[in-house]
Amino acid sequence: MSDARFVHEVPLADPSATVERALLARLETARLVYNRCITELLRRDALMRESVVYRRLRGERAAARRASSANPKMLVFKDAQERAKAWRELRAGYDLAGKYCLAEFVADLARELKPRMGARNELQVTLLHELARRAWEAYEPYLLGKRSGSGRRGRPRRRRYDEPFTSLSTRSSEKNAGQLRFLSVAVREAGVVDVRHVLVFRGARKALNGDVTLRALVEPGDVVAQHALALAAAPTFGDADDASEPQVVPVELAHDVCQVRIGYRVMRGRRRWFAQLVLAGEAFRKPRPAQAPGSVGIDVGARHIAVVAPAVEYAALEQLNPRVAQSLRLQAAIERQRARAQDRSRRATNPEAFDKRGRYVRGKKIRVRSKRYRELGVERREAQRVANETKRQQTNALANRLVALGTTFHLENLAYRAWQAAGIGKSMLASTPGAFERALRIGAAKYGREFVSIDARVAKLSQRCPSCAALTKHAIRGPIGQRMSTCACGRVPVQRDILAAFLAAHCGASGTLDAAALETAWPRLSSVLAAAASSEHQPTSPALAPARSRQRARASETVAAVRRPTAGAGACEVRSSDVSEAVRDHRHHRIEQSGDDDVTLSRSQAQKRHGSPTSGASTGSAA
């Protein structure tokens, strides 16, 4: 039996005001429980750090780094296993042994909340245990002292009232039998069978009748939803005495529901609710045409990526998130205008928090926020949400297109955080090269492609010449502003990023080049690589931004590339239909609505919609 699982998101119908208040009240209760769990973990942590054993273990660790200490007060261990055992025993002594350490605390908390909160506490104990697990995940990096890596976090903090919980999920062990349930029924009325899906959020006590039911919205032509919500068997209806009344029978899904989550997103000032289902089985995959076995080299930059597929004689420069980069430049003046308007409103409504020179008085709190201040905050958050959603969609669409070019993808192992420290953080904010690599990894794993990470320090792809195999930094790479790479051997000039991608396609994970394959491919592809540099400033896909609801990429949107005509009937080439199929493999957000036209507005149109910028907002800052 396969353990594969996938996540499917289903939009929910807009609840009534009464139902929405009930849902928000339960999320507020979840926030309070989460804060209590964080407080308890930090209390135990403080006691542990004040203990003598903790200080001796810390002293032993510091002494072991320098040299062996002869101080008898310091603990000495034979090996790392004995030291780790001592740390585990110390944490277990203060009930910090794992994610289940708050089990007894949650049970006491559930009994405490009943008399205090009464009918408002509609969360069962199982949901409280899930909140305790989330609190442990926020605290664990701080316990282990992680200062680098993906799990780097500081001291966990409690959520304030203006930082509410936006989602709530059941435990994975509950399957579909917990307080949150996703149910499906078949309704036959007048000879027509309709399958309906609902999300049921049961109350903690049945006597209060606190069950909340939200209907799931499933489009008839959505093949992804049809695969995820397929029925295990056709519904069976009995013989009814009165055929005029509708018949309702429960049905089971083909994919077992392992976990259910409910949450909302704020879109254009409205809460849009959705349900996320963790289903057992394989995710939907669109049929792909047969691909010729070949490697694809990709060189990732701060704004562009270079793609070379030698097997199909394909070379191109692709811009990362072209519409977002243009939109951020156009919206810079408008964003600055909104920020300054918020600052003026904050100063006018809270004069006691600022001195005569306009400086913030330390210790004062911003207590009054006007209606205009809140409206500007909604506009700023909405603009940021649209930009983030557009970046996600463009990144996934580009990764899906590249998946159709080969079977093995070669990329350098790069540190994108180091790029931010180097001073190109704004470029990375719009282009998101790290998100592109993650999307490409997911797409490669989804369709059975291989992914090879190249050691960049050993390979030195930007310094090698494919013609004479020379390794001279100044002769090959040149200054950073020189985009064309040349060599003393007299080879044809090639754009440096495309050359690095070509070498990456013939490079292994250890950084060693396949000299035989490189010697054969370079004479055949040198003219293609040289001509591909002209596509650097061409937008790869001009209509990828979701300007309208449920808009999909058209079949005519193909990759801007330079391909060399192949000779012979048996030659392998990339057909436009193959690449267009990859373009259409991006599924836009289902609860997205029309009205996201600000992403594509020109500067004059955007200023007319949001008002002309004030004299203090310099238009030059948008460049």
Side-chain angles (χ1 to χ4, degrees):
M1 183 177 179
S2 177
D3 296 335
R5 295 184 178 183
F6 65 99
V7 180
H8 179 70
E9 183 174 299
V10 184
L12 302 175
D14 292 338
S16 62
T18 304
V19 173
E20 190 170 24
R21 282 196 299 268
L23 292 174
L24 295 177
R26 298 180 185 186
L27 290 177
E28 174 63 15
T29 304
R31 183 187 70 88
L32 298 176
V33 172
Y34 176 84
N35 289 346
R36 289 288 300 272
C37 294
I38 290 291
T39 302
E40 177 65 18
L41 289 173
L42 293 179
R43 185 189 68 83
R44 299 178 185 182
D45 182 88
L47 294 176
M48 182 189 68
R49 295 175 187 270
E50 292 176 358
S51 63
V52 178
V53 179
Y54 178 85
R55 296 179 181 180
R56 288 185 178 181
L57 286 174
R58 289 294 302 269
E60 187 277 335
R61 180 187 297 176
R65 291 176 181 176
R66 298 189 300 268
S68 59
S69 176
N71 192 343
K73 295 184 179 180
M74 297 299 175
L75 302 177
V76 179
F77 300 104
K78 296 183 299 183
D79 49 14
Q81 288 78 8
E82 187 178 355
R83 182 184 298 107
K85 181 180 179 181
W87 279 103
R88 287 195 301 268
E89 292 177 353
L90 173 64
R91 293 164 185 163
Y94 290 90
D95 291 336
L96 295 173
K99 59 183 179 180
Y100 300 111
C101 64
L102 293 176
E104 297 182 0
F105 174 78
V106 169
D108 297 338
L109 182 62
R111 289 190 292 269
E112 179 185 349
L113 290 178
K114 283 185 178 181
R116 290 184 57 189
M117 303 187 66
R120 290 183 295 174
N121 180 23
E122 291 293 338
L123 301 183
Q124 294 181 359
V125 180
T126 54
L127 289 181
L128 302 185
H129 282 287
E130 181 66 17
L131 294 171
R133 185 193 61 82
R134 292 177 61 175
W136 171 262
E137 290 181 352
Y139 163 74
E140 186 178 15
Y142 175 71
L143 172 67
L144 301 179
K146 290 187 177 180
R147 295 182 176 87
S148 62
S150 58
R152 179 182 61 179
R153 290 183 183 178
R155 182 185 176 91
R157 62 183 184 89
R158 305 166 187 84
R159 285 177 175 264
R160 302 194 306 267
Y161 179 77
D162 55 350
E163 297 176 343
F165 263 39
T166 59
S167 64
L168 192 62
S169 62
T170 60
R171 304 180 71 177
S172 58
S173 59
E174 289 182 293
K175 302 299 181 183
N176 198 22
Q179 191 174 3
L180 278 171
R181 299 183 182 184
F182 191 81
L183 305 179
S184 303
V185 295
V187 181
R188 185 174 68 176
E189 186 175 5
V192 179
V193 179
D194 182 20
V195 179
R196 301 175 184 177
H197 309 277
V198 295
L199 178 72
V200 180
F201 197 162
R202 303 182 61 184
R205 284 169 285 182
K206 296 182 179 180
L208 298 176
N209 194 17
D211 293 354
V212 174
T213 303
L214 298 176
R215 183 174 179 179
L217 304 179
V218 181
E219 295 183 10
D222 190 354
V223 294
V224 179
Q226 292 175 3
H227 169 78
L229 303 179
L231 301 181
T236 303
F237 296 91
D239 296 334
D241 298 337
D242 189 2
S244 62
E245 296 183 359
Q247 302 181 28
V248 180
V249 296
V251 294
E252 295 183 359
L253 299 179
H255 304 281
D256 295 336
V257 179
C258 303
Q259 196 171 1
V260 184
R261 181 183 296 112
I262 185 175
Y264 70 88
R265 295 188 182 94
V266 179
M267 298 181 177
R268 285 167 292 281
R270 292 180 55 190
R271 297 185 187 91
R272 307 307 302 267
W273 294 85
F274 62 92
Q276 286 184 347
L277 310 176
V278 180
L279 303 174
E282 297 290 342
F284 175 78
R285 295 191 301 176
K286 287 189 175 181
R288 292 291 186 186
Q291 296 294 327
S295 60
V296 179
I298 301 178
D299 182 76
V300 182
R303 296 181 180 178
H304 299 76
I305 62 168
V307 184
V308 176
V312 294
E313 298 185 355
Y314 174 94
L317 275 173
E318 303 278 359
Q319 184 180 358
L320 293 172
N321 303 336
R323 296 289 293 277
V324 176
Q326 180 184 7
S327 175
L328 291 179
R329 290 193 297 268
L330 297 178
Q331 294 285 340
I334 300 176
E335 177 64 19
R336 185 179 179 215
Q337 179 186 3
R338 291 170 178 166
R340 295 186 63 193
Q342 274 194 313
D343 183 68
R344 291 193 299 269
S345 175
R346 182 169 53 247
R347 292 174 180 273
T349 55
N350 299 272
E352 70 281 354
F354 302 90
D355 58 10
K356 296 181 180 180
R357 298 179 57 182
R359 297 174 300 182
Y360 175 73
V361 179
R362 188 174 182 180
K364 296 292 184 178
K365 293 184 178 181
I366 306 297
R367 301 183 182 276
V368 182
R369 293 175 175 84
S370 64
K371 180 179 178 181
R372 179 57 180 166
Y373 179 91
R374 294 192 298 268
E375 290 177 352
L376 289 172
V378 171
E379 294 178 3
R380 296 181 66 183
R381 288 190 295 270
E382 178 64 18
Q384 185 63 36
R385 184 196 64 81
V386 172
N388 293 338
E389 186 68 17
T390 307
K391 285 189 290 185
R392 183 188 67 83
Q393 294 184 3
Q394 289 191 342
T395 300
N396 293 343
L398 178 59
N400 289 330
R401 283 188 287 155
L402 298 184
V403 167
L405 295 179
T407 57
T408 307
F409 295 87
H410 299 252
L411 277 80
E412 289 183 327
N413 189 10
L414 303 175
Y416 299 106
R417 288 188 178 181
W419 292 7
Q420 299 178 7
I424 55 176
K426 290 186 177 180
S427 296
M428 296 186 64
L429 178 64
S431 59
T432 61
F436 163 75
E437 181 176 341
R438 288 193 299 270
L440 186 61
R441 286 179 180 271
I442 294 174
K446 182 178 179 181
Y447 289 96
R449 311 294 198 258
E450 297 183 6
F451 200 92
V452 179
S453 297
I454 303 173
D455 190 351
R457 297 181 179 180
V458 178
K460 301 180 181 180
L461 300 179
S462 300
Q463 306 175 23
R464 293 185 182 274
C465 177
S467 179
C468 62
L471 183 60
T472 308
K473 180 175 181 179
H474 298 286
I476 304 299
R477 184 176 182 181
I480 192 65
Q482 180 181 344
R483 307 309 301 169
M484 302 302 293
S485 174
T486 59
C487 184
C489 64
R491 62 171 174 83
V492 58
V494 180
Q495 208 273 351
R496 52 185 294 179
D497 298 330
I498 294 180
L499 180 63
F502 171 74
L503 294 175
H506 302 87
C507 186
S510 60
T512 58
L513 291 171
D514 189 351
L518 190 63
E519 184 179 357
T520 305
W522 170 251
R524 180 169 55 92
L525 296 176
S526 58
S527 59
V528 177
L529 300 178
S534 60
S535 66
E536 178 178 4
H537 300 289
Q538 298 178 5
T540 58
S541 294
L544 285 179
R548 295 295 178 187
S549 173
R550 305 175 180 89
Q551 178 182 5
R552 294 184 178 274
R554 297 185 296 270
S556 59
E557 296 171 357
T558 58
V559 180
V562 177
R563 286 188 288 273
R564 176 181 176 183
T566 56
C572 180
E573 61 179 358
V574 176
R575 301 185 301 273
S576 60
S577 60
D578 300 345
V579 183
S580 300
E581 177 67 22
V583 174
R584 295 193 299 269
D585 190 28
H586 176 66
R587 177 170 177 262
H588 293 297
H589 203 282
R590 285 301 169 191
I591 55 179
E592 191 70 16
Q593 292 185 347
S594 59
D596 293 344
D597 299 332
D598 285 354
V599 179
T600 59
L601 288 179
S602 63
R603 177 181 299 178
S604 60
Q605 293 172 339
Q607 291 177 356
K608 288 180 181 179
R609 170 172 292 190
H610 300 283
S612 58
T614 58
S615 58
S618 175
T619 57
S621 62

